[in-house]
Amino acid sequence: MAHFRGTNVAYGAPGDEARWTEAAKDGVGTAHSFGGRVWFTIGHGILTEVYYPTVDRPQLRDLEFLFSDGDGLFLEEKRDLAYQVERIAPSQGYRITRNDPKGRFSFTKEVIADPTRPCVLIHPKMEGNGDFLRTLKTYVLCNPHLEVGGENNNAYVVEVSGRKLLVAEKEDRWLAIGASCGFSRLSCGYVGSSDGYTDIQENGGMKFEFDEAKNGNVALTAELDLSQTQEFTIGVAFGESLPSAVSSLFQSWALLIKNNARCLSINGNRQRMACTPCMEPAETMGGSSSRVTIFCLLMKTTVPGAFVASLTIPWGEARNDKSGKGGYHLVWTRDMVESAMGLLAAGDTCGPTRALIYLAARQKEDGGFPRISG
């Protein structure tokens, strides 16, 4: 049973105006299985929009790491650390390598989706000067945008089976974040006033420990307990209730005991590819780049044949909850036809056939089709 830590409410409600992230992405990923129901994006080397339970419903704005040493050093992963991104072939997971510009430390993280549960797993490994790492504090910062919006989110610190977790909720949609190494400090706050970024930047470390932040643009922050290890796994799980989200988180961790991140991601992709009569791109279309293209086309659908344009929100950094229904994570008829034709060129007839059926079911009396389908 989940125990809510307390009622120490963060100040600054409702927080700054909630917006999305830039549409430019380094990668998009999923486990390509029908059980996971989670899709993620990578932008500027960090986890950006995550979609659940369908590919048209983003539930999270971004998640990144912050660093401080209590003596004036403050580094934000997205802005202050150089990075490289590579795909964990043949899957749609990613390996991101980050380097401190002064050469004091680096970390490599793998980002994958659990093939059977709605959980994104991030596995970082810290490396560098031992004395420096002992003084370095590492934090995880997450900005939920549950039910396709950053407004009216609720955030809490909870404890389940002896583990402290960060959770968020909106309209019966839940998100749970935990770390295999454990958290030493946890807090919820409002973006721009009592959030972890503001706290760590202004105070040189994590001073806030608020228990809840309701009805606003909220942020979840925790300090990682790296006293015993420099390698750990962060899980970001989703569900229709707090118990279901926490259960997915704990079960994904249990699976990782027997399967490393690379194996888990590859196995998930094989499940989906086995269901697709697509020709092998390595033999027919020129190798790995064609394989990635086909994977990206395949992951853009939840309903058979209903291919969304992309897992992005154009000009997302300038779009708020009141910007109207938009984004490319919807079925734009023009883009859907192009996706279907791309799969047809690769030898897949199943996907294009389903797309044609999807269109036929929505054809207007005058013979036209809707520009966008939700």
Side-chain angles (χ1 to χ4, degrees), residues 331-350:
V331 179
W332 293 65
T333 299
R334 174 199 60 194
D335 298 87
M336 188 194 75
V337 170
E338 292 179 351
S339 296
M341 295 301 290
L343 288 173
L344 186 63
D348 179 12
T349 58
C350 179

Side-chain angles (χ1 to χ4, degrees), residues 71-367:
D71 193 29
L73 174 71
F74 173 76
L75 295 173
E76 180 186 4
E77 179 187 359
K78 179 172 65 176
R79 293 185 173 89
D80 300 323
L81 302 180
Y83 74 95
Q84 293 180 326
V85 179
E86 59 180 319
R87 191 170 63 94
I88 308 174
S91 77
Q92 278 303 116
Y94 294 88
R95 183 180 297 107
I96 298 122
T97 303
R98 289 280 187 180
N99 292 290
D100 168 34
K102 294 187 177 180
R104 293 165 294 188
F105 77 102
S106 66
F107 73 96
T108 301
K109 63 180 182 182
E110 293 187 344
V111 185
I112 63 169
D114 188 319
T116 59
R117 299 170 188 83
C119 184
V120 177
L121 295 162
I122 306 170
H123 185 77
K125 181 179 181 181
M126 307 282 292
E127 296 180 299
N129 179 280
D131 292 335
F132 178 79
L133 289 179
R134 278 188 284 273
T135 65
L136 188 69
K137 301 292 185 181
T138 303
Y139 312 90
V140 60
L141 173 70
C142 177
N143 184 199
H145 273 40
L146 292 168
E147 285 305 273
V148 203
E151 295 182 351
N152 301 314
N153 282 249
N154 304 299
Y156 308 92
V157 176
V158 304
E159 183 173 332
V160 182
S161 300
R163 282 192 172 273
K164 296 178 181 178
L165 307 174
L166 295 166
V167 303
E169 179 272 338
K170 179 181 176 181
E171 299 173 9
D172 295 323
R173 188 77 70 199
W174 287 84
L175 172 155
I177 300 175
S180 60
C181 60
F183 295 133
S184 54
R185 299 175 73 91
L186 305 90
S187 186
C188 308
Y190 296 100
V191 174
S193 55
S194 53
D195 63 288
Y197 184 95
T198 303
D199 178 19
I200 298 164
Q201 183 184 46
E202 294 182 353
N203 297 317
M206 189 173 170
K207 307 299 182 184
F208 298 159
E209 287 194 85
F210 296 114
D211 300 317
E212 62 180 50
K214 295 182 178 180
N215 298 317
N217 181 16
V218 301
L220 306 167
T221 313
E223 179 183 328
L224 293 151
D225 182 2
L226 301 182
S227 58
Q228 303 298 320
T229 183
Q230 295 293 335
E231 187 172 1
F232 54 95
T233 300
I234 298 284
V236 184
F238 300 88
E240 281 64 52
S241 66
L242 179 56
S244 66
V246 172
S247 176
S248 292
L249 176 65
F250 286 178
Q251 290 188 55
S252 292
W253 275 339
L255 184 62
L256 281 176
I257 295 174
K258 297 182 179 180
N259 301 274
N260 62 34
R262 180 182 174 86
C263 178
L264 186 132
S265 185
I266 291 172
N267 286 341
N269 278 288
R270 284 175 178 162
Q271 290 179 34
R272 180 66 165 271
M273 291 302 291
C275 299
T276 307
C278 184
M279 291 192 300
E280 279 294 323
E283 299 176 1
T284 62
M285 296 183 63
S288 61
S289 61
S290 298
R291 185 186 298 273
V292 172
T293 300
I294 292 171
F295 279 173
C296 288
L297 290 174
L298 289 172
M299 78 170 64
K300 296 197 303 174
T301 180
T302 305
V303 177
F307 298 98
V308 300
S310 73
L311 277 72
T312 59
I313 300 171
W315 303 283
E317 68 278 16
R319 296 183 68 89
N320 59 28
D321 289 1
K322 299 179 177 64
S323 296
K325 187 175 184 180
Y328 287 165
H329 53 86
L330 300 171
V331 179
W332 293 65
T333 299
R334 174 199 60 194
D335 298 87
M336 188 194 75
V337 170
E338 292 179 351
S339 296
M341 295 301 290
L343 288 173
L344 186 63
D348 179 12
T349 58
C350 179
T353 299
R354 291 184 180 277
L356 183 61
I357 295 170
Y358 180 88
L359 278 178
R362 285 157 180 79
Q363 189 169 19
K364 299 178 181 179
E365 290 185 2
D366 62 2

Side-chain angles (χ1 to χ4, degrees), residues 22-41:
E22 297 176 21
K25 302 298 180 185
D26 301 313
V28 294
T30 183
H32 281 320
S33 70
F34 296 104
R37 295 182 300 145
V38 65
W39 296 255
F40 66 85
T41 63

